[in-house]
């Protein structure tokens, strides 16, 4: 479906209204979540990120707690990051964002060999079909994690939603738990509602003692914070958006798998 120019203008006009409502909803869900900080640290995890930065934003403190507890963690980033920011050549974006990913993960305590980049084309995950499901299933078979952390099918970004859907199919029958972390839900009230409809109430992990390092790890992704990358706009990695990932806890929604 293509939206008419009038509808696009209306949607854009509503963004400043949606942002504070989405923030209120997210903060309420976070406060009401069940604190699983102690048990989470000892559950091995495969963290699936659609783009370089989602793993750090959504689960940076959770990753650090696991690493500090000696628990196995691997990060698999699915897309190559070639399209963003749009004013740069794709090859430059791929190189810069891969370097940012590895630098950020080192701050989280992950060695380079625990960070895998699958290099699917960015913005095209909704067309990847079974290829994406098979790639995720391979990673789950290789790492046999207790938990798979991934973006939600209800995330408004199409790459994030496609990965959430593929992970649900790939994790089914493996015995791993599937836990969805929110990213762009912080900009869209309706996507919080859809996240809840598709999952159980949130489990939370405290960021206490890890926030300074998490902020440092997020700051590494400077390519995504420039004006050209939307860093000064409502849908970019602007300071008001990043604030949601430097709060007192991280949130994970348990997703039922068939
Ligand atoms: Zn992303």
């Amino acid at each position: 479906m293509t939206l008419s120019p009038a509808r696009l203008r209306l949607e854009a006009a509503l963004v400043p209204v949606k942002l504070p409502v989405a923030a209120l909803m997210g903060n309420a869900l976070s406060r009401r979540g069940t604190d699983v900080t102690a048990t989470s640290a000892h559950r091995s995890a495969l963290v699936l990120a659609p783009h370089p930065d989602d793993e750090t934003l959504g689960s940076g403190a959770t990753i650090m707690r696991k690493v500090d507890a000696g628990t196995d963690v691997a990060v698999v980033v699915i897309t190559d990051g070639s399209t963003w920011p749009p004013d740069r050549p794709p090859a430059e974006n791929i190189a810069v964002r891969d370097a940012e990913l590895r630098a950020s993960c080192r701050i989280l305590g992950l060695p380079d060999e625990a960070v895998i980049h699958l290099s699917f084309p960015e913005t095209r995950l909704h067309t990847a079909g079974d290829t994406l499901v098979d790639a995720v299933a391979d990673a789950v078979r290789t790492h046999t994690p207790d938990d798979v952390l991934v973006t939600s099918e209800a995330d408004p970004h199409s790459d994030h939603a496609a990965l959430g859907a593929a992970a649900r199919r790939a994790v089914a029958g493996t015995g791993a738990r599937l836990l969805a972390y929110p990213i762009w839900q912080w900009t869209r009230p309706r996507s919080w509602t859809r996240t809840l409809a598709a999952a159980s109430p949130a489990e939370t992990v405290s960021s206490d003692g890890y926030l300074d390092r998490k902020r440092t790890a997020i700051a590494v992704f400077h390519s995504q914070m420039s004006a050209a990358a939307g860093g000064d706009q409502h849908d970019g990695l602007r300071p008001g958006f990043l604030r949601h990932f430097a709060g007192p806890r991280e949130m994970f929604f348990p997703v039922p798998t068939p």
Side-chain angles (χ1 to χ4, degrees):
M1 183 183 77
T2 306
L3 297 179
S4 69
R7 176 67 189 274
L8 284 173
R9 279 197 300 275
L10 176 64
E11 291 281 336
L14 285 174
V15 166
V17 181
K18 290 177 179 175
L19 288 175
V21 177
L24 282 172
M25 291 174 76
N27 288 331
L29 291 170
S30 169
R31 279 193 304 273
R32 277 189 226 137
T34 303
D35 188 325
V36 298
T37 305
T39 50
S40 162
H42 300 285
R43 292 181 63 82
S44 63
L46 179 66
V47 182
L48 303 174
H51 313 107
D53 71 10
D54 291 310
E55 72 299 317
T56 304
L57 293 171
S59 59
T62 302
I63 291 171
M64 286 187 272
R65 284 189 180 279
K66 290 177 190 293
V67 170
D68 283 356
T71 304
D72 285 339
V73 186
V75 168
V76 177
V77 176
I78 310 297
T79 69
D80 57 11
S82 56
T83 70
W84 211 254
D87 65 334
R88 303 277 171 81
E92 184 182 324
N93 280 337
I94 290 170
V96 166
R97 296 181 69 184
D98 187 64
E100 290 174 347
L101 168 70
R102 290 177 192 286
S104 179
C105 284
R106 259 177 246 131
I107 292 168
L108 299 181
L110 293 170
D112 265 7
E113 59 269 23
V115 183
I116 298 130
H117 213 150
L118 294 186
S119 301
F120 279 73
E122 187 177 33
T123 74
R124 308 296 301 159
L125 280 192
H126 62 289
T127 66
D130 287 346
T131 313
L132 177 58
V133 178
D134 291 346
V136 173
D138 272 351
V140 175
R141 262 195 301 276
T142 301
H143 295 279
T144 58
D146 296 325
D147 295 337
V148 175
L149 316 184
V150 69
T151 47
S152 169
E153 283 179 71
D155 189 301
H157 190 305
S158 69
D159 280 346
H160 290 213
L163 179 58
R168 187 164 49 78
R169 288 174 58 198
V171 168
T174 65
R177 296 181 80 215
L178 186 63
L179 300 165
Y181 59 85
I183 300 287
W184 293 103
Q185 281 90 331
W186 288 102
T187 66
R188 301 284 190 282
R190 195 183 303 161
S191 65
W192 280 126
T193 310
R194 291 175 48 224
T195 301
L196 277 175
S200 303
E203 297 180 355
T204 59
V205 173
S206 169
S207 305
D208 202 24
Y210 290 88
L211 269 183
D212 285 346
R213 258 167 78 200
K214 183 173 180 182
R215 284 197 193 96
T216 305
I218 290 174
V220 164
F221 294 102
H222 41 81
S223 74
Q224 302 306 295
M225 297 169 197
S226 65
D232 59 346
Q233 295 163 29
H234 293 306
D235 283 348
L237 292 193
R238 66 199 164 77
F241 177 69
L242 291 175
R243 194 182 62 222
H244 300 306
F245 304 98
R249 55 191 88 80
E250 292 174 346
M251 235 187 310
F252 301 92
F253 295 87
V255 178
T257 53

